[in-house]
Amino acid sequence: VANSIPAGPSSLSSPSLVAATRPQMPLLTPRPLLAALVFAGAGPWCDWEGLAGVAGEEDCESKPGGCRCYYDALADNCPQSLGQDSQVMLCGCIYSDNTWLTVLSNFIAAFRGGAADRASLGSRFSVKLEGNGILSMDVGYTSRVQCGAALAQVYPGTSFEVSVEELHQFARNIFSGEVRQKLLDVCVPGRIALQLLCLHASLAVHDGAGAQAYAAQIANLFPLVEGCVQQQTPFSFPGLGEYLRAWKGVQLPAGGALDSGRVAELTWWPEPGLMRGKIPEESEVHYFPCVPLQDKACFPAGADNLFTAARIAATLLRARQAMHHALVENGPSPVAAARPEGAAASIDFVVVTPCKPRAS
């Protein structure tokens, strides 16, 4: 079948051709023919939305990568075209200097509360209007993060342009140490968290154009990590895919300014109970019980000092996990059995006790 269908735009670029073939399409087994179109070189010339209607898959646009990736999972820049290791690498971040753990803690605080809590975020994050539609805020990154429609095309906190194509190129070359480091420096889940904060900062000043620009960029990035962010990171984005789909049909008023009612409609309201630190059963990279950080002065963002970095917490957590596994496999130890009721194990006490930085 594939060999009988000419490849190239001349055969598949005409909407009339797709429409004319619809009555003859076998509705019970549409996938083989669609696969034939894919392997015959349909690629960018194919009317994917029209084919979706033929196949009865009207909701393919809501799938990661849209209809094009739904019917050709291995197409360039489609999330499923990457191997498992590459997908996991896209979720990678460096947490040892506390920067992303501090951002995560502020991210959780920003989206866990109700409307009254949202109203106080401007003062909480020391938001400043910088002029020319740009605002800045302190959300725990190593420097104040600038937001605005003109900056939506770059990763927040950097001057580097957002490029899904470049991320795919990196993910396909993860055996290069330099490439792996670049992906870790980007930290896609962390940038999405910053983009969401910028989106809502734009909404707070009724800047519809800025909010829409950030929503579009998040919609490009989120499919890359949607399959690994829950199991491989401490970040949570409950219901984000549905929220981003709601932005696709948004029509802004002239000038882009939003009234309060429209701002409320376009605000992300994740399930509050899911906006919290993850527990070990939920993620391989959870940092439980240190996230959210209780005393950010104890673990300052960007710290390189071995004794103030999150690697202390990571070391303690590994010890705690080892104790937990030993308990599950071997049962309570005589020491644990003799411990007074309500008393915590020493490792638990070390982890959860708030730290008191010394003057020295």
Side-chain angles (χ1 to χ4, degrees), residues 20 26 39 42 68 71 84 146 160 173 178-179 181 207 232 289:
F39 289 110
R68 184 179 73 91
Y71 289 111
Q84 180 65 25
Q146 292 188 322
F160 297 107
N173 293 277
E178 184 179 357
V179 168
Q181 186 61 46
D207 179 10
Q232 301 295 332

Side-chain angles (χ1 to χ4, degrees), residues 95-103 140 293 299-303 308-311:
Y95 298 103
S96 60
D97 71 347
N98 308 301
T99 299
W100 290 117
L101 294 183
T102 306
V103 169
L293 299 177
F299 297 105
T308 62
R311 65 192 73 181

Side-chain angles (χ1 to χ4, degrees), residues 3 29 43 80 82 89 136 145 147-148 155 184 204 209 221 234 237 249 255 262 267 274 286 288 300 312 328 342-343:
N3 292 334
T29 56
Q80 301 92 330
L82 298 172
M89 198 64 208
S136 67
V145 174
C147 308
Y155 296 110
L184 291 172
L221 288 180
F237 301 105
R262 198 75 175 111
T267 297
L274 298 178
H286 49 78
F288 176 84
I312 295 177
V328 171

Side-chain angles (χ1 to χ4, degrees), residues 110-344:
F111 292 104
R112 182 173 51 193
D117 295 319
R118 296 283 183 96
S120 64
L121 292 181
S123 58
R124 181 190 184 103
F125 297 145
S126 303
V127 176
K128 296 180 181 179
L129 297 177
E130 306 288 356
N132 298 321
I134 304 299
L135 58 84
S136 67
M137 54 185 177
D138 180 6
V139 293
Y141 196 63
T142 52
S143 59
R144 292 182 65 85
V145 174
Q146 292 188 322
C147 308
L151 298 176
Q153 76 274 15
V154 301
Y155 296 110
T158 78
S159 58
F160 297 107
E161 183 177 356
V162 176
S163 173
V164 171
E165 181 179 358
E166 183 180 48
L167 290 175
H168 267 263
Q169 291 174 351
F170 286 160
R172 287 190 172 92
N173 293 277
I174 59 173
F175 292 109
S176 164
E178 184 179 357
V179 168
R180 292 172 68 91
Q181 186 61 46
K182 285 183 180 297
L183 279 175
L184 291 172
D185 290 342
V186 171
C187 182
V188 178
R191 302 297 170 183
I192 290 175
L194 290 177
Q195 287 173 324
L196 279 165
L197 289 168
C198 281
L199 188 159
H200 285 79
S202 298
L203 287 177
V205 295
H206 302 269
D207 179 10
Q212 189 174 55
Y214 279 108
Q217 292 291 4
I218 299 170
N220 291 332
L221 288 180
F222 186 58
L224 296 180
V225 299
E226 190 172 5
C228 58
V229 72
Q230 185 61 28
Q231 288 292 327
Q232 301 295 332
T233 81
F235 287 89
S236 290
F237 301 105
L240 181 58
E242 182 179 355
Y243 171 71
L244 295 173
R245 287 193 291 275
W247 270 98
K248 287 188 175 181
V250 170
Q251 297 293 327
L252 298 178
L258 302 173
D259 59 34
S260 299
R262 198 75 175 111
V263 167
E265 293 175 2
L266 295 174
T267 297
W268 182 43
W269 295 103
E271 177 61 39
L274 298 178
M275 294 303 297
R276 52 172 173 75
K278 291 180 181 176
I279 58 177
E281 291 76 12
E282 292 177 311
S283 176
E284 296 179 19
V285 185
H286 49 78
Y287 288 95
F288 176 84
C290 299
V291 173
L293 299 177
Q294 300 301 309
D295 186 351
K296 298 180 181 63
C298 186
F299 297 105
D304 292 326
N305 189 323
L306 177 63
F307 299 102
T308 62
R311 65 192 73 181
I312 295 177
T315 302
L316 293 174
L317 288 175
R318 283 194 294 272
R320 186 178 187 274
Q321 289 168 348
M323 290 176 61
H324 173 73
H325 290 314
L327 183 63
V328 171
E329 294 179 3
N330 305 320
S333 66
V335 175
R339 187 184 304 127
E341 183 178 357

